[in-house]
Amino acid sequence: MIATTDVDIAVSALTGGGVVAVPTETVYGLAADITQPAAVERIFAIKGRPADHPLIVHIADFDGLAACAAEVPAAAARLASAFWPGPLTVIVPRRGDLDPTVAGGRDTVGVRMPAHPLTTAVIDRLGAPVAAPSANRFGAVSPTTAQHVLADLGPFLDPQRDAVLDGGPCRVGLESTIVDCTVDPPQILRAGAITGDQIDAAIERAHAPSSGPARASGMLPSHYAPRARVIVVDDRDAANSAVAAATTAGRRAAIIDHTDDLVEYAHELYADLRRLDAQGYDEIVALVPPAHGLGAAIADRLYKAAGPRPS
Ligand code: TXA
Ligand code: MG
């Protein structure tokens, strides 16, 4: 059986060169031992992910950052001490002896310390950090339960070598905030549960928005996309009109709205998208919250889910 709640099974799968889907507070990650290049390569193959899209290295203690970074910029040190373990990734200069495959060939690397006891125990017992992107096929909605992982990646995993560690539903439900600390001022490459204001307070200055072409793959126009067409609207009237227009045209449409509770919105969004897809809706009409605080991360994912699809 590929799904387990046993940390030791997960560790022996990783030691043996397998990949293991691990729970974190954000979304499930597809992990491999960073010291085993062949295992890291399998992450790209299983996800269908282009080789130049860098992975995030997940660590269990603060020494792990120094093990990955050629140097730790002051902003990265402040962010790590303020928010780790937690939903924040720092981009730092990559150490020369860290496998470049992990970093998609870049001279920088993303590092984070996730807040989930099972995954902390896995990294601890393995004795090495793990590289882990979200445990979904490339471009699809990230998984927030072990069942989501099995539905997406089950056919691509090897039951003899790989495992899915079930740690329950993810607490936050959206991917980590990514801050590039190799530029001055630091840039937020991806919004997440750690907000822009929290970052500014920790680094004691104002961050910059991201610049440059597609700094993070999550910045491609279409990402986090379900099968159904996603329509983003501002208010309930617009949502009802969109559903009425779909119905008139013979299409089935459903509404997603948790704008009265953004923590719940973040927690439920990906599960909602998956459920409505499974129920065969043609269109998903989502109410967008104001784009500040946690609302910025939710709005970002909604617009990406609604973005133009590759043909
Ligand atoms: O919450 C999360 O961050 C989850 C969990 C599993 O930890 N992970 C996650 O990984 O979302 P992934 O691979 O789906 O998204 C990581 C993003 C990608 O958009 C990637 O391009 C960007 O981080 N990234 C990683 N390393 C980078 C680097 N050195 N420079 C710029 N972007 C980087
Ligand atoms: Mg992802």
Side-chain angles (χ1 to χ4, degrees):
M1 189 50 203
I2 208 161
T4 182
T5 54
D6 186 334
V7 167
D8 290 324
I9 291 177
V11 173
S12 37
L14 290 168
T15 306
V19 299
V20 176
V22 293
T24 82
E25 78 283 28
T26 59
V27 301
Y28 274 73
L30 186 65
D33 177 350
I34 60 162
T35 68
Q36 298 195 46
V40 173
E41 298 274 3
R42 282 190 66 228
I43 293 179
F44 289 89
I46 290 166
K47 278 194 61 117
R49 179 174 181 135
D52 62 351
H53 282 257
L55 310 178
I56 293 173
V57 176
H58 293 63
I59 60 176
D61 56 48
F62 286 91
D63 293 342
L65 179 57
C68 300
E71 118 202 43
V72 179
R78 287 175 182 222
L79 290 168
S81 77
F83 303 117
W84 283 357
L88 176 99
T89 297
V90 293
I91 307 292
V92 294
R94 177 173 61 84
R95 253 176 81 137
D97 55 0
L98 184 78
D99 179 7
T101 315
V102 169
R106 301 185 189 209
D107 55 11
T108 59
V109 62
V111 183
R112 94 175 186 96
M113 188 190 293
H116 193 293
L118 291 187
T119 295
T120 303
V122 167
I123 300 167
D124 258 343
R125 287 187 213 175
L126 180 66
V130 293
S134 53
N136 50 279
R137 293 281 287 169
F138 183 65
V141 177
S142 293
T144 55
T145 66
Q147 291 69 36
H148 294 164
V149 177
L150 288 166
D152 263 22
L153 297 185
F156 301 93
L157 297 175
D158 176 351
Q160 304 302 316
R161 303 163 75 183
D162 304 328
V164 175
L165 182 60
D166 189 346
C170 300
R171 179 172 58 79
V172 174
L174 297 179
E175 303 82 352
S176 61
T177 307
I178 303 180
V179 183
D180 186 350
C181 298
T182 67
V183 289
D184 192 54
Q187 296 183 359
I188 298 187
L189 300 189
R190 182 174 72 187
I194 304 295
T195 65
D197 288 345
Q198 286 178 289
I199 285 161
D200 293 352
I203 62 178
E204 295 180 2
R205 56 187 300 203
H207 71 273
S210 74
S211 60
R215 296 292 305 277
S217 71
M219 296 182 155
L220 298 173
S222 170
H223 214 79
Y224 314 108
R227 183 196 45 75
R229 178 169 170 236
V230 176
I231 300 167
V232 179
V233 295
D234 285 326
D235 59 41
R236 209 65 209 187
D237 286 346
N240 292 335
S241 310
V243 171
T247 309
T248 307
R251 295 189 299 271
R252 292 177 67 229
I255 294 176
I256 296 180
D257 180 14
H258 305 278
T259 45
D260 56 346
D261 182 344
L262 296 190
V263 170
E264 177 187 285
Y265 209 148
H267 190 262
E268 298 300 324
L269 175 60
Y270 290 154
D272 284 352
L273 293 174
R274 284 170 182 271
R275 189 183 59 255
L276 296 173
D277 249 0
Q279 292 172 354
Y281 283 97
D282 305 300
E283 291 179 14
I284 297 172
V285 181
L287 275 92
V288 66
H292 52 76
L294 185 56
I298 297 165
D300 170 70
R301 304 311 190 274
L302 289 177
Y303 286 115
K304 261 134 195 182
R309 308 288 167 84
S311 47

